[in-house]
Amino acid sequence: MYIRQAKTGTSSDGTVHYSFRLVESVRNGAQVRQLTLLNLGRYFSIEREYWPLLCQRIEELRSGQVPIGYGEIDPTLEAEAHRIANLLNQRQGQAVPERVSVESGPDWQTLDLNSVQDHDVRTIGGEYAALQAVQELGLPERLLELGFNPRQQRVALGLIIARMIAPASDRQTHHWLSNISATGELLGQDFGALSEMTLHRVSDKLLDHQQGIEEQVFERACSLFQLQPTLAFYDLTNTYFEGSAEQIPEAQFGRSKEKRSDCRLLTLGLVVDASGFVMKSRMFAGNVAEVQTLETMMGQLGGKPGAVVVMDRGIASASNLAWLREQGYQYVVVSREQTREFDFEHAQLETLTNRANREVQYYQELVEHQENGETWQESYVRCYSEARADKEQSLLRHHQKNYEEQLTQLNQSLGKPKARNTIAVIQQRLGRLHKSHSRVARHYQLNLITTDDDTRVSRVDWQFDPKSGTMMTHPGVYALRSNILNWDGETLWRIDHTLTEVESVFRALKSELGMRPVYHQTTERCCSHLLIAVLAYQAVCVLRTRMKAQGHHDSWGMIRETLSTICRTTTTFQRRDGRTLHLRKTAMPDAIQSTFYQAMGLKTPPRRLQKTVV
């Protein structure tokens, strides 16, 4: 057994390309020919001087000899020897039926128990479920239709599965696919023979076909679950960069929803169906104003006029609502009115119950608007939630306490020797305090008590004076507005309340599927990073939708952690005749894991016993 370097071609710039093969000399009568055991690919990185030692280690591992300690051989060389030996065992192994029939009889072997070794342990439990979901969405076929060759297709699927199971940077993803996961076995791809750049190129190609892929995936999801996409929930979130990202025009400083305003940001806009499946996605600059994105997402990206658009108050500006009316959309939004109002005495109140079994009081009224010669009507649903009122009051009490403590500390500092207590300085301090406590500061009247010469402040007095029509006087009050006039208030409320559940899409993308942070340094790679996260979410949504229908509401993080202990392992024995027996098999799921697979509508992973005798 030895390694041979073979020239495969020359590029236009004169660069010579080589491929590396593991070959063996085989005598056939009087002739000796070279038999290729394994194509090691063009990215084989072991130096030529170590090739004999590598081949020696491969033969030792295949014959079942105890591995050398990592202190006695280079770790990279030992890891490569294990990878190649395992590949040879898998490719030369004989597949054994999972259930041996009575007629075929048992397979008895005489073995040395002291020689038993387990190695090449790879996780397969979560990967198997992920692959099944990706296949149900029709992605393998769609990628081939879009011009991906078989290897590119397998790499693309590997990237999506890796994002579902072990989200990380591209470098860590390459390591996970090559050394930890059995995804390569499921797909028939040796990821260890590929470079990290191959993953980048495939992700770039995914981005080139983003629209076609997203449309196919959503259509297949509608077909799988008989969805009628009449609602379109629109929202935005952002993610932050690790690194300067100065070469990316879209990477801008802005208001981070993860409180990482010290980093440059990217914004992701999603149009989501009521079922939680993503209809469209797009990347925006990190400092984009939310109100400026609606027309692009719903117009250029194919929103369907006549659908009901649901969005939060940050996007529901007057200009956006006017655009929706012009385009024939219907909408349900939270009103951006600055003054809260709720008629407890004269309105005919009705009551509904939310999912937490808490009551919400509401009344519905028709409001006519006139602006720029245009007249239209909207249905307003004015709501009061006692649970929401308790939450808002608790929040306000917390801010009030902090604000008054800060004012007290300011007064105490005025009495210290050499205190900076000029009127200008104190006004600056109060201004900063007002900004950091904006929720409650406007409800206080402040009075500066100055010294006799009116140049310095000796004390700051305050008086609590709540403004009418605010959260302070009307906690738990909010209003919904819609141009759908024939729906009752409860229907409108429940549609808007669904938006809070759809926002779980963003939590899954950021926390469970590794959308944050971003490590890339080009716009295209950032876009592909977000696209892969969205495709991974779509596959997760398939599995969780099925599980919810069976009464399982576990998070994806908990599901994949539970399945992570299902591994595929090679067990090596020494037989009595001196030959080495390698058995590769998948572990059997326990009761909880089997329940999860059943709830997902899947069979347990095939155990796929492979037997190799060396």
Side-chain angles (χ1 to χ4, degrees):
M1 180 186 296
Y2 59 95
I3 296 171
R4 185 179 67 189
Q5 181 181 8
K7 180 180 176 180
T8 57
T10 304
S11 57
S12 58
D13 60 358
T15 303
V16 179
H17 299 285
Y18 295 95
S19 178
F20 299 87
R21 295 180 174 87
L22 182 68
V23 298
E24 186 177 40
S25 296
V26 178
R27 178 174 292 277
N28 185 9
Q31 295 182 341
V32 176
R33 62 187 184 91
Q34 293 179 345
L35 176 65
T36 299
L37 300 177
L38 191 66
N39 189 340
L40 303 177
R42 58 183 294 192
Y43 301 106
F44 182 68
S45 58
I46 302 299
E47 297 292 336
R48 181 182 293 271
E49 60 181 302
Y50 297 109
W51 290 359
L53 179 58
L54 175 64
C55 294
Q56 178 186 343
R57 285 297 298 135
I58 293 170
E59 292 178 339
E60 291 173 349
L61 290 170
R62 297 200 68 205
S63 63
Q65 295 189 24
V66 178
I68 296 176
Y70 278 105
E72 303 177 38
I73 192 172
D74 181 78
T76 304
L77 189 67
E78 182 73 6
E80 187 69 5
H82 276 269
R83 185 183 75 85
I84 295 174
N86 293 328
L87 282 173
L88 288 174
N89 289 337
Q90 293 171 29
R91 296 189 180 190
Q92 297 178 359
Q94 176 188 2
V96 179
E98 292 186 43
R99 296 182 179 179
V100 180
S101 63
V102 176
E103 291 78 7
S104 62
D107 182 10
W108 296 105
Q109 301 278 347
T110 303
L111 308 169
D112 178 8
L113 292 180
N114 293 327
S115 69
V116 176
Q117 301 175 40
D118 288 326
H119 57 94
D120 194 23
V121 180
R122 301 292 186 102
T123 59
I124 198 174
E127 292 90 325
Y128 167 74
L131 178 59
Q132 300 304 305
V134 168
Q135 290 175 338
E136 285 194 81
L137 289 174
L139 269 172
E141 297 82 4
R142 184 57 175 162
L143 293 177
L144 293 177
E145 292 172 3
L146 292 172
F148 286 67
N149 63 41
R151 189 186 72 168
Q152 291 171 335
Q153 177 218 47
R154 294 191 294 267
V155 173
L157 298 179
L159 287 171
I160 297 170
I161 293 172
R163 185 61 60 86
M164 295 173 68
I165 307 301
S169 67
D170 282 0
R171 176 172 294 181
Q172 290 173 297
T173 295
H174 183 262
H175 172 77
W176 182 80
L177 289 169
S178 303
N179 302 291
I180 298 173
S181 170
T183 301
E185 288 187 63
L186 291 173
L187 296 173
Q189 176 64 53
D190 176 19
F191 286 95
L194 302 178
S195 69
E196 187 180 327
M197 184 56 65
T198 303
L199 274 60
H200 289 314
R201 293 193 182 101
V202 172
S203 66
D204 292 343
K205 190 162 187 175
L206 281 172
L207 182 63
D208 293 338
H209 301 281
Q210 176 175 359
Q211 183 174 351
I213 293 173
E214 285 187 336
E215 289 177 355
Q216 159 74 19
V217 168
F218 183 68
E219 288 175 3
R220 183 62 69 91
C222 291
S223 174
L224 286 174
F225 299 101
Q226 289 76 52
L227 305 178
Q228 299 296 327
T230 56
L231 296 177
F233 295 84
Y234 177 55
D235 207 352
L236 297 102
T237 190
N238 52 38
T239 182
Y240 59 89
F241 281 90
E242 288 288 355
S244 62
E246 295 178 352
Q247 305 302 318
I248 304 176
E250 292 80 5
Q252 299 291 333
F253 290 103
R255 180 178 173 272
S256 170
K257 298 187 178 182
E258 288 83 43
K259 311 300 181 185
R260 290 302 307 269
S261 298
D262 59 315
C263 302
R264 294 179 186 268
L265 308 176
L266 275 181
T267 299
L268 175 66
L270 293 181
V271 181
V272 183
D273 181 70
S275 58
F277 285 96
V278 176
M279 301 167 69
K280 298 290 179 182
S281 69
R282 172 156 179 171
M283 187 185 80
F284 295 97
N287 61 349
V288 69
E290 292 186 342
V291 296
Q292 298 175 357
T293 62
L294 179 69
E295 184 174 345
T296 298
M297 289 293 290
M298 300 302 299
Q300 297 180 11
L301 295 188
K304 298 179 180 179
V308 179
V309 180
V310 187
M311 52 193 177
D312 66 16
R313 66 189 307 272
I315 311 172
S317 65
S319 60
N320 278 341
L321 296 184
W323 182 84
L324 288 173
R325 290 193 299 271
E326 291 173 1
Q327 301 299 317
Y329 288 98
Q330 297 175 306
Y331 55 80
V332 180
V333 300
V334 177
S335 174
R336 302 181 77 182
E337 292 178 332
Q338 298 298 316
T339 302
R340 297 189 179 198
E341 56 179 278
F342 192 88
D343 190 348
F344 286 97
E345 298 180 357
H346 303 97
Q348 185 176 354
L349 300 182
E350 298 186 57
T351 303
L352 57 85
T353 304
N354 61 22
R355 294 198 174 191
N357 206 28
R358 302 294 294 271
E359 290 187 349
V360 176
Q361 293 181 300
Y362 72 94
Y363 64 92
Q364 189 174 9
E365 60 181 359
L366 205 62
V367 177
E368 186 173 289
H369 301 279
Q370 289 185 350
E371 184 178 345
N372 299 328
E374 179 188 2
T375 302
W376 73 95
Q377 290 183 324
E378 287 185 328
S379 177
Y380 274 67
V381 182
R382 303 196 181 276
C383 307
Y384 169 75
S385 167
E386 184 177 352
R388 184 168 179 162
D390 292 342
K391 180 179 179 180
E392 291 180 350
Q393 287 175 328
S394 175
L395 180 66
L396 290 172
R397 285 194 297 269
H398 172 73
H399 284 286
Q400 277 186 270
K401 179 182 177 182
N402 286 345
Y403 184 63
E404 293 182 2
E405 286 177 352
Q406 292 291 324
L407 290 174
T408 301
Q409 291 178 10
L410 188 150
N411 272 336
Q412 292 173 350
S413 69
L414 295 177
K416 295 181 179 180
K418 300 181 180 180
R420 298 181 61 196
N421 56 359
T422 62
I423 294 178
V425 170
I426 298 305
Q427 286 178 336
Q428 288 179 354
R429 293 180 63 180
L430 290 175
R432 289 193 295 267
L433 194 60
H434 187 284
K435 183 177 180 180
S436 61
H437 295 78
S438 57
R439 286 180 182 270
V440 297
R442 61 177 174 155
H443 302 292
Y444 285 82
Q445 296 290 337
L446 304 181
N447 185 27
L448 303 184
I449 308 301
T450 60
T451 57
D452 294 338
D453 57 1
D454 290 335
T455 60
R456 296 182 178 276
V457 178
S458 60
R459 189 177 73 257
V460 178
D461 289 340
W462 65 85
Q463 182 179 0
F464 181 59
D465 182 21
K467 305 297 182 184
S468 179
T470 63
M471 186 189 297
M472 191 69 73
T473 58
H474 290 72
V477 171
Y478 59 98
L480 308 178
R481 58 188 291 190
S482 173
N483 62 345
I484 307 174
L485 306 182
N486 58 346
W487 286 6
D488 59 50
E490 181 173 354
T491 301
L492 293 174
W493 182 90
R494 294 202 181 279
I495 288 177
D496 179 79
H497 193 63
T498 307
L499 180 62
T500 61
E501 300 174 18
V502 173
E503 287 174 350
S504 65
V505 173
F506 292 118
R507 290 192 293 273
L509 283 170
K510 292 188 287 189
S511 301
E512 297 180 336
L513 299 175
M515 193 183 83
R516 61 181 181 189
V518 180
Y519 297 97
H520 299 287
Q521 297 299 316
T522 66
T523 299
E524 292 74 17
R525 295 280 159 77
C526 293
C527 291
S528 60
H529 168 82
L530 298 181
L531 173 61
I532 291 170
V534 170
L535 294 177
Y537 166 78
Q538 299 279 65
V540 168
C541 200
V542 169
L543 299 176
R544 294 202 65 221
T545 299
R546 289 219 169 94
M547 294 190 72
K548 287 179 181 178
Q550 299 297 321
H552 295 267
H553 298 275
D554 307 279
S555 69
W556 175 244
M558 185 267 188
I559 294 169
R560 71 186 180 196
E561 182 179 0
T562 302
L563 299 179
S564 65
T565 58
I566 302 178
C567 296
R568 190 158 172 80
T569 309
T570 297
T571 304
T572 301
F573 307 86
Q574 289 291 330
R575 298 200 317 189
R576 182 187 291 273
D577 60 6
R579 305 180 76 184
T580 302
L581 174 65
H582 300 273
L583 297 179
R584 184 156 184 79
K585 196 172 185 179
T586 303
M588 183 178 293
D590 60 24
I592 297 176
Q593 293 164 340
S594 298
T595 301
F596 278 178
Y597 284 125
Q598 185 177 6
M600 293 176 188
L602 305 176
K603 297 179 180 179
T604 56
R607 305 191 71 191
R608 292 165 63 178
L609 174 62
Q610 274 190 322
K611 181 173 70 173
T612 308
V613 179
V614 180

